[in-house]
């Protein structure tokens, strides 16, 4: 199983997301279906979220139940609206299902939780337009060109958000 911080609607989506209940990326689940607890008791939607802004509470001060059910908790995901997306993500065909990809990857790569340059679909569409983006990661990373294939609105799944009824 691959991490959910890579790709998003690229040519191998069905292989990369075979573990998903829908067989494709359905947006960041931090604070919706998953939670991360650090050794010091800090609770975040995902342990990949290294910015202190993502801390929702601390188990040394309150219960996980209280943190998880706090009104307004994990709002970056639980109160997501497509209108929050920026840049390429805002106009993307998959905006309503992808929701900008991995929240922490987007945050650290672009400075915005809602504009994710690490998206296979984005790279392919920009290549189709003869455009490329230059990223300056903090650490050197190996790159691999992505193959492209046609994508239509009819070929993507129809999934209603929230995935868990009653979660808003």
């Amino acid at each position: 199983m691959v991490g959910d911080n890579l790709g998003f609607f690229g040519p191998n989506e069905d292989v990369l997301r075979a573990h998903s209940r829908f067989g494709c990326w359905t947006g960041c689940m931090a604070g919706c279906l998953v939670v991360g607890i650090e050794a010091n008791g800090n609770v975040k939607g995902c342990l990949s979220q290294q910015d202190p802004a993502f801390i929702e509470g601390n188990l040394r001060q309150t219960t996980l139940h209280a943190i998880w059910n706090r009104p307004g908790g994990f709002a970056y995901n639980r109160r997501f609206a497509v209108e929050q997306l920026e840049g390429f993500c805002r106009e993307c065909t998959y905006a309503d299902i992808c929701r900008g990809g991995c929240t922490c990857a987007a945050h650290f790569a672009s400075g915005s939780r809602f504009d994710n340059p690490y998206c296979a679909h984005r790279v392919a569409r920009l290549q189709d337009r003869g455009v490329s983006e230059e990223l300056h990661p903090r650490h050197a990373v190996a790159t691999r060109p992505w193959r492209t294939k046609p994508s239509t609105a009819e070929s993507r799944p129809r999934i209603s958000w929230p995935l868990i009824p009653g979660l808003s």
Side-chain angles (χ1 to χ4, degrees):
M1 176 162 66
V2 299
D4 281 334
N5 61 341
L6 83 106
F8 320 119
F9 298 100
N12 299 310
E13 182 68 13
D14 56 338
V15 175
L16 292 174
R17 308 286 176 233
H19 69 281
S20 167
R21 126 178 167 189
F22 296 107
C24 67
W25 173 254
T26 54
C28 177
M29 293 292 116
C32 295
L33 292 177
V34 298
V35 66
I37 302 171
E38 296 180 318
N40 67 356
N42 285 342
V43 176
K44 300 175 178 183
C46 173
L47 288 177
S48 295
Q49 297 171 326
Q50 295 300 305
D51 191 312
F54 289 105
I55 297 171
E56 296 287 336
N58 188 287
L59 293 180
R60 294 177 180 178
Q61 299 166 355
T62 190
T63 66
L64 181 58
H65 182 271
I67 295 168
W68 184 260
N69 293 300
R70 181 177 54 85
F74 307 94
Y76 59 90
N77 264 348
R78 292 182 182 179
R79 294 190 178 172
F80 172 81
V82 172
E83 295 75 32
Q84 292 173 284
L85 293 175
E86 301 171 4
F88 182 91
C89 291
R90 186 170 182 114
E91 323 226 332
C92 180
T93 303
Y94 300 106
D96 59 332
I97 188 172
C98 178
R99 303 164 8 135
C102 172
T103 301
C104 65
H107 176 71
F108 286 105
S110 71
S112 167
R113 297 175 188 162
F114 305 108
D115 186 21
N116 195 329
Y118 293 115
C119 168
H121 178 72
R122 174 185 186 139
V123 171
R125 295 297 72 82
L126 291 176
Q127 284 179 344
D128 290 347
R129 298 179 200 164
V131 175
S132 65
E133 294 180 300
E134 186 173 316
L135 297 176
H136 300 279
R138 295 180 186 170
H139 307 284
V141 295
T143 60
R144 178 184 150 200
W146 292 93
R147 296 173 293 137
T148 60
K149 69 179 181 182
S151 175
T152 64
E154 295 81 34
S155 67
R156 71 185 179 117
R158 299 286 177 223
I159 299 173
S160 298
W161 187 259
L163 295 175
I164 301 175
L167 182 64
S168 58

